[in-house]
């Protein structure tokens, strides 16, 4: 039986190739993801370990409400005491924060969050072990800096040049003292690293004489634990200590946890592709078994048992699965290499290291490929074994019994109804619980719809059959009939497309709806022409506000300065704003009192907050300011709740004395004449051409909210494209099988006058009908799921309302039709080339 299986595999190489491709693509994503994440994990873990090779103990300071005011970090005096301990070779203090430099066009090098500044901390030999200088040396005096090599090359900077450096304050100029290479994570992420002398870095990021962290090196013969025991008694309460080995292990775990989310996305896409591939594999083996029905019957007649016939089919599947697994694993290695190169192309460098080819990806590739293929082939093999030998020899195909169809449709209907009920219930529940219910309901509904697709195919395709007959005549009529001739096979093919388009449509509906809600909120709530932010998302320096107020053409400026305080004994999120300007840059709708009262030291409160605390206009509220000073504030106005406003507004001058280091995340600006190149240029110049400060117009503001959603959609479209490719292969297989079954019919049609052109058209139209049918089912189900998921968090989105992206839905339908046309090319050509006399004689 094994020799028979091997012969059959070799005899149907072309059709089995499509099955190999389907399994290979899924396996490639699984193995490639595992190889890539293993490689990343090993590279970053080695880098972390290397960074702490010479570290006996690492010290880290943590913010503390009480102690931070006295000691914002590790003091230099504490480090001196540690350096004097027996067994300690050296102590190196570190301080870091945001720093960025512009490219020749004045744009920030890097993406904000990956731009870092730190201190150059040389040892007794004048070197800092973290950096290897390729030109010049480290900064040792104020006014000097050093840059990493990649940043120096992008900015075209050379040693001795003057470099403009942006931190949270105004841009300052420094002399480039040296260029270095480093394994620092900021540089590896495609950002930049600016080194200052220690005194300058402390002034910029903390306080002179203090460090955020420090590393302690042990003298020869002294163990890390001994150094840790000696150091701990000298540390203040807000400083923690770990051995270098412990810190390295901790970072390795954090790296692994960070990569797990990445791998789960890719593995999820691979699982979807393999699930779609099951339909292709089942169709392929159904076709192969149908082609040799008499051969199976003859084997049964000469003594082969049903089990042997089933095993023969499973043996074929095992051979196909093995070939696909090996090919998929090799393709996965190529995918891992491509992902690694892709990271570099997008500026995301990873540490040097070999490609890690462990046992897990190999076992996963073999296990997934073999199991998926054999599971999909089991049902066709079982059906083949059940055909009575006499019936098979007489070419009487065993059609599904009425009972089996009733059972299938009943179970499918029950699952679809149960799943639909769970989805509706989840939409009503909202929140995390609702999304869990929707996930379970979506799975049940998808399985139920897949079981019902053959039943639905007859009425739905019959409804569009007149559209085929009119323009295409007899070819259209025959195509409509052929599409429902074998509903199970048509359903299996349509299911593959339906699954992919369910996910794509659901994501599109959800993404477009959320994006539209955010866009409306931006348009409705922000009246300002510009919003000013730091590139790294950090706070703006108060000098930025002063500069914007003095800029030419500016008519209104107000920050939303975060300034939490206790009001009436409870903490309240408060925004310090500019009275008279806030209502001109943001939509603030007073419902009682007047916003002019802000200028007199009163507060404005959102309606819901006021109602929950029993406040009204004129209510005196006890307040405890950020510096613990107490007082009383009077409610001067109430306003409608808004997602862009804090529950409490107060004049920024009223909190200035209590908050010496204000936190200003953004500033809104209105200008005379509205948006325009001249106004934007004036603002940029007023800010000193600071590359780290983004002046965002209304479109930039929209993009900042909707951009990540669109990027996520594009990534998911790319991942799900693999499942759609497999669905195309499924359509090819179905048409090839249909042509094989209708050889006599096609021969007769040719004999009575149907020319080759109309035969090709018939097959193409059949493919288009099946593809569009699957697309329609997927679009309807995907829209339903998109609506349900959106309902679970609409309360957290302003002005949420369902948006059906009809333009994208139209594109999906056109692509489905194109899929049908492309998939029909080979089967249509094969059908048209059939010799009519040989086809008529075919059994």
């Amino acid at each position: 039986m094994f020799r028979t299986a091997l012969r059959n595999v070799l005899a149907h190489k072309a059709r089995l190739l499509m099955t190999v491709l389907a399994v290979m693509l899924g396996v490639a994503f699984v193995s490639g993801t595992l190889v890539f994440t293993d490689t990343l994990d090993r590279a970053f873990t080695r880098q972390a370990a290397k960074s702490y090779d010479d570290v006996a103990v690492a010290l880290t300071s943590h913010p503390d409400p009480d102690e931070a005011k006295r000691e914002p970090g590790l003091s230099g005096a504490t480090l001196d005491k540690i350096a004097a301990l027996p067994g300690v070779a050296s102590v190196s203090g570190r301080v870091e924060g945001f720093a960025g430099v512009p490219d020749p066009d004045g744009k920030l090098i890097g993406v904000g969050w990956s731009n870092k500044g730190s201190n150059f901390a040389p040892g007794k030999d004048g070197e800092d072990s973290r950096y290897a200088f390729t030109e010049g040396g480290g900064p040792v005096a104020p006014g000097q800096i050093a840059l990493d090599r990649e940043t120096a090359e992008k900015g075209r900077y050379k040693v001795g040049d003057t470099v403009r450096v942006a931190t949270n304050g105004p841009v300052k100029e420094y002399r480039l003292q040296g260029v270095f290479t480093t394994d620092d994570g900021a540089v590896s992420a495609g950002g930049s690293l600016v080194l200052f002398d220690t005194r300058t870095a402390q002034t910029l990021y903390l306080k002179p004489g203090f460090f955020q962290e420090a590393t302690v090196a042990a003298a020869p013969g002294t163990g890390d634990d001994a150094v840790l025991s000696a150091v701990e008694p000298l540390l203040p309460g807000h400083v923690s200590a770990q051995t270098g080995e412990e810190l390295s292990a901790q970072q390795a775990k954090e790296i692994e946890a960070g990569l797990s989310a990445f791998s789960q996305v890719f593995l999820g896409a691979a699982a979807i592709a393999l699930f779609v591939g099951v339909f292709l594999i089942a169709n392929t083996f159904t076709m192969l078994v149908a082609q040799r029905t008499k051969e199976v019957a003859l084997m049964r007649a000469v003594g082969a048992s049903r089990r042997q016939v089933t095993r023969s089919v499973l043996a074929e599947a095992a051979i196909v699965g093995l070939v696909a697994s090996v090919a998929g694993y090799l393709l996965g290695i190529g995918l891992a290499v491509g992902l690694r190169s892709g990271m570099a192309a997008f500026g995301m460098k990873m540490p040097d290291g070999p490609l890690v080819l462990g046992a897990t990806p190999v076992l996963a590739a073999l296990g997934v490929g073999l199991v998926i293929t054999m599971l999909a082939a089991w049902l066709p093999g079982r059906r083949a074994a059940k055909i009575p030998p006499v019936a098979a020899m007489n070419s009487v195909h065993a059609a599904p019994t009425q009972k089996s169809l009733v059972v299938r449709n009943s179970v499918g209907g029950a699952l679809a109804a149960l799943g639909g009920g769970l989805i509706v219930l989840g939409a009503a529940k909202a929140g995390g619980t609702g999304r869990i219910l929707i996930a379970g309901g979506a799975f049940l509904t998808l399985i139920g719809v897949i079981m019902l697709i053959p039943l639905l195919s007859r009425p739905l395709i019959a409804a569009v059959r007149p559209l085929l007959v009119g323009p295409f005549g007899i070819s259209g009529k025959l195509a409509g009939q052929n599409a429902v001739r074998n509903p199970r096979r048509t359903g299996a093919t349509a299911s593959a497309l339906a699954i992919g388009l369910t996910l794509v449509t659901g994501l599109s509906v959800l993404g477009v709806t959320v994006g539209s809600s955010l866009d409306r909120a931006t348009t409705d709530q922000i009246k300002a022409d510009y919003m000013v932010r730091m590139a790294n998302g950090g706070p703006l320096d108060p000098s930025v506000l002063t500069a914007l107020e003095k800029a030419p053409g500016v008519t209104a400026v107000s920050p939303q300065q975060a300034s939490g305080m206790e009001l009436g004994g409870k903490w309240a999120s408060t925004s310090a704003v500019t009275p008279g300007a806030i209502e001109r840059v943001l939509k603030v709708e007073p419902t009682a009192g007047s916003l002019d009262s802000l200028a007199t030291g009163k507060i404005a409160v959102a309606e819901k907050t006021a109602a929950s605390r029993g406040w009204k206009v004129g209510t005196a509220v006890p307040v405890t300011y950020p510096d613990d000073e107490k007082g009383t504030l009077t409610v001067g106005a109430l306003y409608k709740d808004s997602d862009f406003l804090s529950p409490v507004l107060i004049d920024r001058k009223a909190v200035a004395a209590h908050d010496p280091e204000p936190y200003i995340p953004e500033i809104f600006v209105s200008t005379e004449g509205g948006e325009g190149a001249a106004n934007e240029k004036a603002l940029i110049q007023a800010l000193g051409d600071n590359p780290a400060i983004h002046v965002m117009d209304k479109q930039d503001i929209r993009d900042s909210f909707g951009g990540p959603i669109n990027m996520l959609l594009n990534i998911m479209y790319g991942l799900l494209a693999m499942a759609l490719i497999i669905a195309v292969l499924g359509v090819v297989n179905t048409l090839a099988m249909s042509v094989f079954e209708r050889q006599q019919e096609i021969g007769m049609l040719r004999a009575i006058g149907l020319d080759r052109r109309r035969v090709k058209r018939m097959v193409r139209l059949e493919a288009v009908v099946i593809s569009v049918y699957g697309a329609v089912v997927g679009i309807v189900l995907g829209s339903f799921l998109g609506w349900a998921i959106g309902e679970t968090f609409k309360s957290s989105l302003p002005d949420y309302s369902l948006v059906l992206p009809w333009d994208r839905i139209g594109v999906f339908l056109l692509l489905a039709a194109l899929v049908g046309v492309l998939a029909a090319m080979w089967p249509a050509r094969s059908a048209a080339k059939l010799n009519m006399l040989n086809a008529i004689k075919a059994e």
Side-chain angles (χ1 to χ4, degrees):
M1 297 303 291
F2 179 77
R3 287 197 299 270
T4 302
L6 182 59
R7 185 199 67 192
N8 287 329
V9 169
L10 297 175
H12 302 95
K13 295 186 290 291
R15 285 176 189 161
L16 286 173
L17 176 62
M18 286 180 284
T19 299
V20 169
L21 286 173
V23 179
M24 181 181 71
L25 288 173
V27 169
F29 253 61
V30 172
S31 58
T33 299
L34 294 174
V35 169
F36 182 63
T37 52
D38 285 350
T39 301
L40 278 181
D41 182 64
R42 180 77 62 83
F44 281 113
T45 300
R46 284 184 175 179
Q47 182 189 53
K50 182 180 178 183
S51 300
Y52 296 105
D53 275 348
D54 300 325
V55 176
V57 173
L59 309 177
T60 306
S61 64
H62 305 281
D64 184 276
D66 296 325
E67 294 188 43
K69 294 178 181 178
R70 298 194 304 270
E71 287 194 2
L74 272 162
S75 67
T78 300
L79 296 189
D80 290 340
K81 293 178 182 178
I82 293 172
L85 290 172
V88 172
S90 64
V91 179
S92 180
R94 309 290 179 187
V95 61
E96 62 184 38
F98 170 78
V101 298
D103 62 16
D105 297 325
K107 303 296 184 181
L108 183 69
I109 297 174
V111 291
W113 58 267
S114 60
N115 298 108
K116 193 172 83 171
S118 186
N119 65 309
F120 176 67
K124 296 178 181 178
D125 58 357
E127 302 291 334
D128 190 328
S129 60
R130 296 187 301 174
Y131 314 109
F133 282 85
T134 58
E135 298 178 50
V140 292
Q144 298 178 352
I145 61 164
L147 291 175
D148 66 275
R149 184 171 61 188
E150 287 76 10
T151 300
E153 290 174 353
K154 292 175 183 176
R156 301 176 189 172
Y157 296 118
K158 296 180 180 180
V159 172
D161 286 351
T162 298
V163 181
R164 300 174 70 246
V165 180
T167 55
N168 284 359
V171 176
K172 295 181 180 179
E173 293 185 346
Y174 297 85
R175 181 182 184 279
L176 183 59
Q177 191 73 9
V179 177
F180 58 88
T181 59
T182 179
D183 292 328
D184 191 280
V187 178
S188 297
S192 62
L193 177 59
V194 181
L195 294 182
F196 303 91
D197 67 283
T198 296
R199 182 75 178 181
T200 300
Q202 288 175 330
T203 303
L204 287 171
Y205 302 127
L206 201 60
K207 185 178 179 181
F210 289 88
F211 300 89
Q212 292 160 334
E213 56 187 40
T215 56
V216 182
T222 305
D224 294 355
D225 291 333
V227 174
L228 179 63
S229 299
V231 166
E232 283 183 324
L234 301 178
L235 301 178
H238 65 284
V239 176
S240 62
Q242 291 175 286
T243 64
E245 185 178 346
E246 291 173 343
L247 192 56
S248 177
Q250 177 183 322
Q251 288 201 356
K253 289 181 180 179
E254 291 173 354
I255 291 168
E256 185 178 352
L259 293 174
S260 65
F262 170 86
S263 63
Q264 286 171 7
V265 172
F266 275 81
L267 291 175
I272 293 168
L274 289 168
F275 185 51
V276 172
V278 167
F279 297 95
L280 170 56
I281 299 166
N283 264 3
T284 300
F285 280 93
T286 298
M287 177 170 54
L288 296 178
V289 170
Q291 284 181 330
R292 56 179 198 270
T293 303
K294 285 192 174 182
E295 176 189 323
V296 172
L298 182 60
M299 292 170 60
R300 291 287 312 281
V302 297
S305 66
R306 287 186 176 184
R307 286 187 177 181
Q308 286 178 309
V309 172
T310 304
R311 288 173 184 170
S312 175
V313 176
L314 291 178
E316 292 179 46
I319 295 170
V320 171
L322 182 62
V323 172
S325 297
V326 173
Y329 174 71
L330 296 176
L331 182 62
I333 294 175
L335 177 64
V337 173
L339 286 172
R340 188 171 180 175
S341 301
M343 287 182 67
F346 283 99
M348 298 285 291
K349 298 195 309 174
M350 61 177 289
D352 294 331
L355 200 67
V356 178
L357 303 177
T360 301
V362 176
L363 295 176
L366 292 173
V368 168
L370 287 171
V371 170
I372 293 294
T373 309
M374 293 181 71
L375 281 177
W378 175 77
L379 189 57
R382 186 168 174 268
R383 286 176 182 165
K386 281 187 172 183
I387 300 176
V390 175
M393 285 183 176
N394 286 292
S395 297
V396 180
H397 293 278
T401 65
Q402 188 67 27
K403 180 181 177 181
S404 70
L405 293 175
V406 170
V407 171
R408 174 189 176 118
N409 294 334
S410 299
V411 173
L415 288 175
L418 177 60
L422 287 174
I423 291 172
V424 173
L425 179 62
K429 283 277 187 183
T433 303
R435 286 189 280 274
I436 292 173
L437 289 173
I438 291 173
F443 178 76
L444 293 177
T445 302
L446 197 58
I447 298 299
V449 169
I450 288 170
M451 297 180 73
L452 290 173
I453 275 183
L455 175 66
L456 298 173
S457 64
R458 289 187 183 275
L460 291 178
I461 293 177
V464 300
R465 194 179 298 167
L467 301 177
L468 300 175
V469 176
F472 304 108
I474 189 65
S475 296
K477 181 177 181 179
L478 291 171
Q481 292 174 344
N482 293 333
V484 294
R485 176 170 294 186
N486 190 328
R488 286 198 175 196
R489 192 174 61 244
T490 298
T493 304
S495 296
L497 280 168
I499 293 168
L501 282 173
T502 294
L503 297 168
V504 170
T505 305
L507 286 170
S508 297
V509 169
L510 186 61
V512 171
T513 297
V514 172
S516 297
S517 298
L518 292 174
D519 187 65
R520 282 196 301 273
T522 302
T523 304
D524 294 345
Q525 300 296 325
I526 299 179
K527 298 164 67 175
D529 299 313
Y530 298 96
M531 182 172 73
V532 179
R533 275 184 176 176
M534 285 294 294
N536 68 333
L540 290 160
D541 190 82
S543 61
V544 173
L545 181 60
T546 304
L548 290 172
E549 289 173 334
K550 296 178 180 178
V554 170
T555 57
V557 179
S558 179
Q560 273 224 86
Q561 177 182 321
S563 182
M565 58 187 68
E566 281 190 13
L567 290 170
K570 294 181 181 179
W571 186 87
S573 177
T574 307
S575 284
V577 299
T578 301
I582 185 63
E583 60 266 37
R584 298 170 65 185
V585 295
L586 292 177
K587 186 178 181 180
V588 188
E589 299 181 82
T591 58
S594 172
L595 292 176
D596 293 338
S597 62
L598 289 172
T600 63
K602 296 181 180 180
I603 59 175
V605 184
E607 282 185 311
K608 291 181 181 179
T609 301
S612 66
R613 301 196 181 193
W615 298 344
K616 297 179 181 179
V617 172
T619 301
V621 181
V623 59
T624 302
Y625 291 101
D627 59 354
D628 293 334
E629 187 175 330
K630 300 184 184 298
T632 302
L633 290 171
T634 302
V635 177
L638 303 181
Y639 59 90
K640 288 184 179 180
D641 289 72
S642 167
D643 288 286
F644 277 84
L645 292 168
S646 296
V648 179
L649 302 181
I650 189 172
D651 185 355
R652 59 187 180 87
K653 293 180 180 178
V655 297
H658 309 286
D659 196 359
E661 296 182 2
Y663 187 91
I664 306 175
E666 64 256 335
I667 299 173
F668 296 94
V669 184
S670 289
T671 56
E672 186 176 348
E675 293 180 64
N679 282 336
E680 184 173 343
K681 184 177 180 181
L683 294 180
I684 292 173
Q685 289 178 343
L687 296 172
D689 289 321
N690 191 326
I693 300 178
H694 284 179
V695 177
M696 307 166 67
D697 60 23
K698 288 183 178 178
Q699 188 57 51
D700 292 332
I701 298 171
R702 290 191 186 100
D703 293 341
S704 69
F705 290 106
I709 295 174
N710 292 327
M711 183 175 67
L712 178 62
L713 281 177
N714 291 333
I715 292 172
M716 294 309 299
Y717 286 160
L719 293 177
L720 293 174
M722 182 177 60
L724 296 178
I725 291 172
I726 294 174
V728 173
L729 299 178
V731 177
V732 175
N733 254 15
T734 295
L735 294 177
M737 184 174 183
S738 181
V739 169
F740 165 75
E741 287 183 348
R742 302 199 308 265
Q743 287 187 73
Q744 281 188 331
E745 176 189 316
I746 293 172
M748 290 295 295
L749 290 171
R750 290 290 313 284
I752 61 175
L754 194 69
D755 59 22
R756 290 184 174 180
R757 180 174 59 84
R758 284 187 287 182
V759 169
K760 288 182 179 179
R761 183 185 297 163
M762 175 186 70
V763 177
R764 291 194 192 103
L765 288 174
E766 181 182 346
V768 170
V769 168
I770 294 173
S771 299
V772 173
Y773 169 54
V776 168
V777 173
I779 287 169
V780 171
L781 186 55
S783 299
F784 178 50
L785 289 175
W787 162 80
I789 296 172
E791 289 291 306
T792 62
F793 53 77
K794 75 174 190 178
S795 60
S796 61
L797 286 174
D799 302 321
Y800 177 90
S801 62
L802 180 68
V803 178
L804 291 177
W806 294 111
D807 54 343
R808 300 192 189 193
I809 289 174
V811 171
F812 296 158
L813 288 172
L814 288 175
L815 287 176
L818 180 62
V819 163
V821 172
L822 295 176
M825 292 179 65
W826 174 50
R829 187 168 177 269
S830 300
K833 290 178 67 177
L834 282 175
N835 183 292
M836 68 180 71
L837 295 178
N838 291 337
I840 292 172
K841 293 189 296 182
E843 297 183 3

